[in-house]
Amino acid sequence: MATCVFIQIRCKPGSTYKVAEDIALREIHSELYSTSGEYDLLLKLYIPEDQDVGHYINEHLLVIPNIERSLTTMTFKAF
């Protein structure tokens, strides 16, 4: 079973649309939203079960230029 994570992304000023476009072109996300507040984008991502979460995010997402910071929230099946 894949691991669902939510990632908030802060972009360098003026680059949010380009970062969102680069994420969309990679086709790794389930959902992608623009947000207001401390972070610019909210990404829902399913990590394949055979992948390490940290490595997957670093290798597939955080290599995109103009990402300043990210905050990952892991999810767990509660019921």
Side-chain angles (χ1 to χ4, degrees):
M1 178 187 288
T3 302
C4 177
V5 297
F6 291 89
I7 305 171
Q8 293 176 274
I9 300 168
R10 182 183 307 149
C11 305
K12 291 183 180 174
S15 67
T16 301
Y17 288 108
K18 178 62 175 146
V19 171
E21 180 183 346
D22 289 348
I23 291 170
L25 290 172
R26 289 173 181 261
E27 297 182 352
I28 59 170
H29 66 289
S30 172
E31 299 174 46
L32 178 62
Y33 300 98
S34 176
T35 60
S36 62
E38 188 175 344
Y39 290 89
D40 303 303
L41 299 170
L42 175 63
L43 171 71
K44 182 178 182 183
L45 178 67
Y46 287 94
I47 309 290
E49 64 181 81
D50 63 336
Q51 298 287 316
D52 177 83
V53 173
H55 285 164
Y56 189 89
I57 292 169
N58 283 331
E59 294 167 5
H60 292 89
L61 178 66
L62 298 182
V63 294
I64 294 173
N66 297 312
I67 293 178
E68 270 189 355
R69 181 182 173 109
S70 67
L71 174 67
T72 301
T73 301
M74 302 274 299
T75 65
F76 304 94
K77 187 168 175 82
F79 306 100

